Amino acid sequence: MKSATRSAEPTSVGFALLAQSPSIISSVDALARLLQGAGLRVEILDLRTLCARQARLSPPNGHVPASHGTDNTGGNVTRPWLLTADRLIFVTDAANLPPPEVFDLALGGAPADSAELIIVHEKGSGAPAGTDAVLARLGPRLHHHIREGSTEDIARFARLILGRGVGVVFSAGGTSIRRRFAMLGALHALRDLRVALDFWGGASIGAVAAAVGAAEVDSSEALRYFRRAFVDDDVLNDLEGNKITRLLQERFGDARLEDCWRPCFCVSYDCTSQRIKVHRRGPLHRAIRASVAIPGFLSPVVEQNETLIDAAMINPLPVDVMRELHTGPIIAVDIMSNALNVAVGARTTAPDHLLKPEMPPLEQPGSRDWADYERVVDSAYHYVFNVFDKAAVDLPRAWEV
């Protein structure tokens, strides 16, 4: 799989504005201040204006303060200086897509996947939608959703640019219902700790946890859905998978992976090609359905020439996939054993630290007593809190860079 990260931390960033709305300008100004404070050179250019002028840009000499509409005209260069920056970031909103020649001006013949994209959302806007159309138009290497005025969104993007973003990966859990609720308890604890959780991923039931986190589903709502799926009913007691498909469609509707507020992925196994498939785009409910298709319990998901099943037997904890997509520390939550394990590592495929808690076994087959599952959630929740306290894990909080 081709890596979507760069090994070296950047020294310069170029923001190419594809539109000039107040929300875009205020968001980019805030980003520029953070990145300049971290020692990066930053330039902001209005590409619509430049395209209209058919300007030829030359690289600036030395440090140039962030400014809007600066064209630095002069010299006989064939592409704007933005391409000399370590990172080229397009900035737009879903309502203001410019014509293709604006992209060409910024790229100067470089491939589109050498750039990244920020989509800015106005204050009070709902969940992202229509992101696939924007990505199809531009084809960036990575994309980011930012809400106007959100300190945490701005900090998250800065962390990812600086290589300080935190990835979190959730494991598969097999057929054990209690393991699934332990996963949920760990997720709630990480949220309440306000740990920076910038990039999400998972396998099987871990894919559900990753989607809940990346799409910012409320914790109480997630708990209600888990109860409906695994206690009030058993969605795995349906070989055709109709129960779980309906439940996933009910919660996520037409949302797509690329519409999640935070970058995320999940994995499944393609029986046809005999390879792991990494889901980064497409309908969210469909990707999760493929990831949870446990052989013998749920039917495979068949798409074109692919036959997709749960990847737990091949890669139950896809930390390696996260490392390919993301630079920075990784939190790995592993529920494949009867104890909940939380591992924290940095810049390695395998986490550097594996913490094995002492806690009551999670397995009590056949129970439908909701109080039992609430105790599992609480136990996992408090364990994660204690682990981060005792281990003095040095990870940024959501508002920190």
Side-chain angles (χ1 to χ4, degrees), residues 147 153 156 191 211-218 251 261-262:
R147 285 158 284 205
D153 285 0
R156 178 174 71 249
R191 281 176 158 179
V212 165
E216 298 187 356
V217 177
D218 180 75
R251 175 54 192 86
W261 283 114
R262 305 169 192 233

Side-chain angles (χ1 to χ4, degrees), residues 75-97:
N76 294 318
V77 298
T78 59
R79 63 187 186 186
W81 81 268
L82 281 171
L83 285 180
T84 70
D86 296 327
R87 302 287 277 271
L88 171 59
I89 316 293
F90 288 113
V91 188
T92 190
D93 57 50
N96 291 284
L97 288 181

